[in-house]
Amino acid sequence: AAANKVDIRQCAGVGGSGVLKKAFSFRIVHGVICLICISVYLAVTNAFKAAHASRPERNPPVPANISKNSIAAYHYFADRGWIFLLTDSADEIFATANVARFELLTLCIGGLAFLMILSYLVISRFMKPLSPITSSLLQIANCDIRDRGEVHKYADRNDDLGEMATASDKVIKSLNHILGTLRVCFQKVELRE
């Protein structure tokens, strides 16, 4: 029997500061701390329940006669034990919001249509001179350099279209001047022969 006995001092090491002694004391301390925490939790919970039970009920249950399609609002008078309850159908409550949504949608669609028409008018007004300028450039490309005076009336503008009109007008005048010079030269050459 003496051979089966284990000396704790041998496992714990010299002086009693071994691994087994430390593990054992850690578990005891851990258990004591857990017991203290549980006791504090239970005491606080019981105190809270006792304080809460002495108060009158603030949010009583809603009466069962309210349907699913109704919306209710209530106020509880604790001193008298009364409930002031207002109910109405959801359709009636949201009718104003639905009308406002429809009016807002109509207003947005109308505003969008107005802006589209206004944009078209403004763009067409500013791009109106582009058509005669384009036709005069195509006329020059087809070797037709007659001055029809369509472009000249837009040359006084202070924007890009005015600059294009001025340049097109100058090109037409320059080509007409060159053509006139060539005609004079050609007539002089014919007279010499």
Side-chain angles (χ1 to χ4, degrees):
N4 290 338
K5 288 186 180 180
V6 176
D7 188 12
I8 290 184
R9 286 185 285 177
Q10 289 177 351
C11 293
V14 179
S17 62
V19 177
L20 288 178
K21 191 173 185 181
K22 286 182 182 179
F24 182 70
S25 63
F26 174 75
R27 286 186 181 173
I28 291 175
V29 171
H30 179 70
V32 170
I33 290 174
C34 287
L35 285 174
I36 292 171
C37 289
I38 291 171
S39 300
V40 169
Y41 171 76
L42 290 175
V44 170
T45 305
N46 289 335
F48 181 73
K49 284 181 182 178
H52 200 53
S54 65
R55 290 184 182 169
E57 188 175 342
R58 289 188 176 199
N59 295 323
V62 178
N65 61 353
I66 298 175
S67 69
K68 287 186 177 182
N69 294 332
S70 295
I71 296 177
Y74 67 91
H75 180 74
Y76 178 62
F77 295 97
D79 56 340
R80 298 184 188 259
W82 292 354
I83 296 175
F84 182 70
L85 178 68
L86 293 173
T87 62
D88 207 348
S89 69
D91 294 335
E92 192 171 328
I93 290 174
F94 293 120
T96 306
N98 291 335
V99 169
R101 182 178 59 188
F102 177 74
E103 289 174 354
L104 184 62
L105 182 65
T106 305
L107 183 67
C108 287
I109 290 172
L112 183 63
F114 174 74
L115 288 175
M116 288 174 61
I117 292 170
L118 183 67
S119 298
Y120 174 76
L121 292 175
V122 168
I123 289 171
S124 64
R125 182 179 182 276
F126 283 111
M127 293 299 152
K128 185 178 179 183
L130 193 58
S131 178
I133 294 170
T134 304
S135 65
S136 72
L137 291 174
L138 290 173
Q139 171 187 337
I140 293 169
N142 292 330
C143 297
D144 183 10
I145 55 171
R146 290 177 286 168
D147 189 8
R148 296 189 176 115
E150 296 174 351
V151 177
H152 183 66
K153 60 184 173 184
Y154 299 112
D156 295 335
R157 291 175 58 133
N158 294 328
D159 58 357
D160 294 338
L161 293 176
E163 290 178 15
M164 287 174 53
T166 303
S168 299
D169 194 37
K170 286 181 181 178
V171 167
I172 290 173
K173 287 180 180 176
S174 296
L175 289 175
N176 280 327
H177 179 70
I178 291 170
L179 185 62
T181 305
L182 288 175
R183 282 186 187 147
V184 170
C185 289
F186 182 70
Q187 288 174 355
K188 286 183 181 181
V189 170
E190 277 186 359
L191 291 176
R192 286 190 186 175
E193 292 182 0

